[in-house]
């Protein structure tokens, strides 16, 4: 085991996060029984710790699943802890160093590489889980692997799509959600209005007094995810698990960032510096938003009549950014065989009951859970994107490369585009330079 490397990588891991769901500053625990300290208690249930980074609407669904597991049987008790992903991983490595890691840890596929290299994930536990590849989509199964070895149990998948306000589209004479880049621009213009009712492509449009925008999207790391999809739509996917140097067609990359910039600064159909697209959507400030399925529980409790559609085909291929959440077993030398078996049993139970996880908005990784999701409103648009979603790789330096926390390369590039309207070619040259500097370290 390579625990001696934990201390050296603690600082860089503080950068970690692929925040797929809506984040708050909440830290939550479900269950009151003290966590296991390394040995099973003879007079009661086996206690295991389960940690995850859910802090949005999906948190309540996961808490409910843990509570259901604890209520259905008495031999295992799961104590669930949730906090934002970045502090979660920092805490994980601190506890790993101290010899008290959680028994089950949720993460994203791109984070597996660095933890596998650090030697803190127990791949042997996967053997006792006896998973079958045919029970999952290729996308979900691939997200559990690093260097050909499996380190995780698939939990869910998610990707960008388009949410639209049905009433706003109907009022503007838009029959359906946009399928192409040209349609996205044209429809967003029809749906954008100033105080006098003029559209951006009309003479006299007052861009200082816009009352309704056609489109909204996150101006954080999710803008990079859109860039990643738009680059991949042009046949370029340069991010690899084993990459030593990043190289891509700079002109195609500039076109990807340029498309996002134009939506905001040229066509004026996206609010500048938008903070919360989903809240703007619910309040009626924007008619369409690019976001993920994790927002559906919030939309389902709103009064908006909404629909969903796949992320538009802006360039040559139909591609959307995608990600996943997986469950891992940290190495724990203090845990006995019964505790390790209990952790596996709980994870297998979650997998078996993953259809209920669809209530979180996330799409279950198992084929059986996915069938449940398909029957729920709004999910099919995201399910249909599974075959063309692109996933960031499980690179050993993912904390530095793909962090959503400043000053990561992807966040700097994204915000230079959507907030600062910098020259797209300059942005991609700097992005390549910044990432290659990290890869060379």
């Amino acid at each position: 085991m390579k625990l001696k490397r934990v201390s050296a990588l603690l600082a860089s891991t503080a950068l970690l996060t692929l925040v797929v769901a809506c984040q708050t500053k909440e830290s939550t625990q479900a269950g009151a029984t003290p966590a296991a300290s390394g040995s099973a208690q003879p007079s009661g249930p086996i206690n295991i710790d389960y940690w995850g980074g859910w802090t949005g609407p999906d948190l309540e669904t996961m808490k409910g699943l843990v509570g259901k597991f604890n209520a259905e049987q008495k031999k295992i008790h799961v104590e669930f802890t949730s906090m934002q992903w970045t502090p979660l991983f920092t805490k994980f490595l601190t506890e790993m160093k101290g010899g008290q890691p959680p028994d089950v840890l949720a993460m994203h596929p791109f984070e597996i590489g660095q933890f596998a290299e650090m030697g803190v994930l127990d791949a042997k536990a996967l053997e006792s889980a006896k998973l079958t590849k045919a029970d999952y989509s290729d996308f979900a199964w691939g997200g559990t692997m690093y260097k050909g070895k499996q380190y995780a149990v698939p939990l869910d998948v998610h990707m960008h799509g388009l949410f639209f306000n049905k009433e706003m589209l109907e009022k503007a004479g838009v029959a359906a959600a946009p399928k192409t880049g040209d349609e996205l621009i044209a429809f967003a213009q029809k749906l954008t209005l100033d105080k006098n009712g003029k559209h951006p492509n009309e003479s006299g449009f007052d861009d200082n007094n816009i009352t309704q925008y056609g489109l909204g999207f996150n101006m954080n790391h999710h803008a990079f995810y859109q860039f990643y999809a738009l680059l991949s739509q042009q046949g370029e996917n340069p991010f690899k698990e084993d990459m030593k140097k990043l190289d891509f067609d700079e002109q195609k990359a500039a076109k990807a960032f340029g498309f996002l910039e134009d939506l905001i600064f040229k066509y004026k159909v996206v609010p500048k510096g938008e903070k919360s697209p989903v809240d703007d959507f619910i309040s009626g400030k924007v008619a369409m938003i690019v976001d993920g399925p994790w927002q559906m529980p919030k939309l389902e409790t709103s009064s908006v009549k909404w629909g969903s559609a796949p992320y538009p085909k802006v360039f040559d291929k139909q591609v959307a950014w995608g990600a996943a959440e997986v469950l891992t077993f940290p190495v724990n030398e203090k845990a006995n065989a019964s505790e390790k078996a209990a952790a596996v049993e709980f994870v297998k139970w979650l997998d078996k009951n993953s259809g209920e996880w669809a209530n979180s908005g996330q799409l279950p990784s198992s084929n059986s859970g996915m069938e449940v999701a398909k029957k729920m409103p709004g999910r099919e648009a995201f399910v249909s994107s599974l075959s063309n979603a692109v996933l960031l790789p499980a690179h050993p330096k993912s904390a530095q490369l793909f962090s959503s926390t400043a000053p990561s390369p992807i966040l700097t590039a994204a915000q230079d585009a959507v907030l600062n309207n910098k020259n797209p070619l300059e942005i991609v040259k700097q992005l390549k330079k910044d990432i290659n500097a990290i890869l060379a370290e």
Side-chain angles (χ1 to χ4, degrees):
M1 189 171 64
K2 303 175 184 177
L3 292 181
K4 63 183 180 180
R5 301 180 61 185
V6 169
S7 297
L9 289 175
L10 258 172
S12 65
T13 303
L15 295 172
L16 274 170
T17 189
L18 244 212
V19 190
V20 243
C22 175
Q23 291 192 349
T24 69
K25 293 183 178 179
E26 180 179 11
S27 176
T28 304
Q29 288 189 327
T33 304
S37 59
S39 60
Q41 300 191 15
S43 59
I46 299 172
N47 298 306
I48 64 171
D49 282 338
Y50 169 37
W51 292 5
W54 300 285
T55 56
D58 43 10
L59 171 61
E60 295 306 314
T61 306
M62 183 55 72
K63 287 169 64 177
L65 281 167
V66 172
K68 182 178 180 180
F69 174 81
N70 286 336
E72 282 185 357
Q73 47 75 51
K74 300 300 180 184
K75 68 176 183 177
I76 302 170
H77 182 87
V78 177
E79 183 164 321
F80 174 50
T81 298
S82 181
M83 64 183 72
Q84 292 184 23
W85 294 105
T86 295
L88 180 80
F89 293 130
T90 301
K91 179 177 173 63
F92 164 56
L93 288 185
T94 299
E95 296 300 325
M96 194 79 220
K97 185 180 178 182
Q100 292 185 319
D103 301 284
V104 180
L105 176 67
M107 65 179 64
H108 307 94
F110 84 106
E111 292 149 353
I112 291 176
Q114 65 174 0
F115 289 132
E117 290 291 336
M118 293 165 69
V120 297
L121 298 182
D122 185 1
K124 291 183 179 179
L126 270 297
E127 298 175 6
S128 61
K130 297 180 180 179
L131 303 180
T132 302
K133 181 179 179 181
D135 291 337
Y136 309 89
S137 68
D138 289 342
F139 182 86
W141 190 260
T144 67
M145 312 294 287
Y146 177 65
K147 292 184 176 179
K149 192 172 186 178
Q150 189 168 29
Y151 285 90
V153 174
L155 176 63
D156 64 51
V157 295
H158 44 261
M159 62 287 295
H160 274 163
L162 194 72
F163 293 104
F164 57 92
N165 184 311
K166 293 181 178 180
E167 293 179 331
M168 284 185 174
L169 264 65
E170 183 179 356
K171 185 176 180 180
V174 176
K179 296 180 179 180
T180 67
D182 289 341
E183 287 185 350
L184 182 64
I185 294 168
F187 293 0
Q189 287 177 323
K190 286 186 177 182
L191 292 160
T192 300
L193 299 168
D194 70 6
K195 66 177 183 178
N196 298 313
K198 287 186 175 293
H199 303 285
N201 53 345
E202 292 180 331
S203 177
F205 176 76
D206 185 359
D207 61 355
N208 292 316
N209 289 285
I210 299 175
T211 58
Q212 177 181 301
Y213 286 89
L215 180 67
F217 55 72
N218 286 290
M219 306 263 167
N220 53 17
H221 53 288
H222 278 270
F224 172 82
Y225 300 158
Q226 285 201 72
F227 159 80
Y228 181 33
L230 294 170
L231 183 61
S232 298
Q233 286 190 5
Q234 299 174 75
E236 291 276 314
N237 186 352
F239 301 104
K240 306 298 180 184
E241 178 184 288
D242 59 351
M243 63 181 174
K244 300 292 191 298
K245 185 178 180 180
L246 179 66
D247 193 22
F248 52 74
D249 187 312
E250 293 182 356
Q251 294 298 325
K252 290 181 178 180
K255 284 176 65 177
F257 273 130
F259 181 79
L260 297 176
E261 289 187 8
D262 285 349
L263 290 171
I264 304 165
F265 301 103
K266 178 181 177 181
Y267 299 112
K268 304 182 188 303
V269 297
V270 176
K272 294 179 182 178
E274 189 167 26
K275 300 295 184 183
S276 178
V278 67
D279 289 330
D280 289 343
F281 183 74
I282 289 173
S283 68
K285 184 179 179 180
V286 300
M288 303 182 292
I289 57 170
V290 173
D291 219 318
W294 56 84
Q295 296 292 6
M296 284 191 277
K298 190 169 186 175
L299 296 179
E300 287 167 345
T301 59
S302 75
S303 60
V304 178
K305 295 181 180 179
W306 58 275
S308 62
Y311 188 80
K313 179 185 173 185
V314 176
F315 296 112
D316 306 322
K317 300 179 180 180
Q318 186 77 48
V319 179
W321 163 81
E325 288 167 332
V326 298
L327 302 173
T328 66
F329 303 99
V331 170
N332 188 348
E333 294 180 342
K334 294 183 179 180
N336 60 36
S338 296
E339 290 166 340
K340 292 180 179 180
V344 172
E345 183 173 338
F346 167 64
V347 168
K348 290 185 70 175
W349 183 93
L350 277 180
D351 182 61
K352 183 179 178 181
N353 291 271
S354 65
E356 294 187 41
W357 183 231
N359 292 319
S360 70
Q362 308 283 14
L363 305 176
S365 290
S366 71
N367 294 336
S368 59
M370 189 67 76
E371 288 303 312
V372 174
K374 287 179 181 179
K375 298 174 184 177
M376 302 176 73
R379 272 68 172 179
E380 182 55 40
F382 295 92
V383 174
S384 67
S385 296
L386 264 177
S387 61
N388 56 56
V390 288
L391 184 73
L392 286 170
H395 193 277
K397 293 185 177 181
S398 59
Q400 301 99 307
L401 296 173
F402 306 129
S403 171
S404 66
T405 306
S408 74
I410 70 166
L411 186 62
T412 298
Q415 296 193 331
D416 275 346
V418 299
L419 296 182
N420 303 325
N421 197 25
K422 288 185 67 173
N423 182 291
L425 192 56
E426 292 180 10
I427 294 173
V428 299
K429 287 181 180 294
Q430 188 64 48
L431 174 64
K432 183 184 290 188
K433 180 180 178 181
D434 291 344
I435 285 184
N436 281 331
I438 294 171
L439 292 173
E441 291 175 354

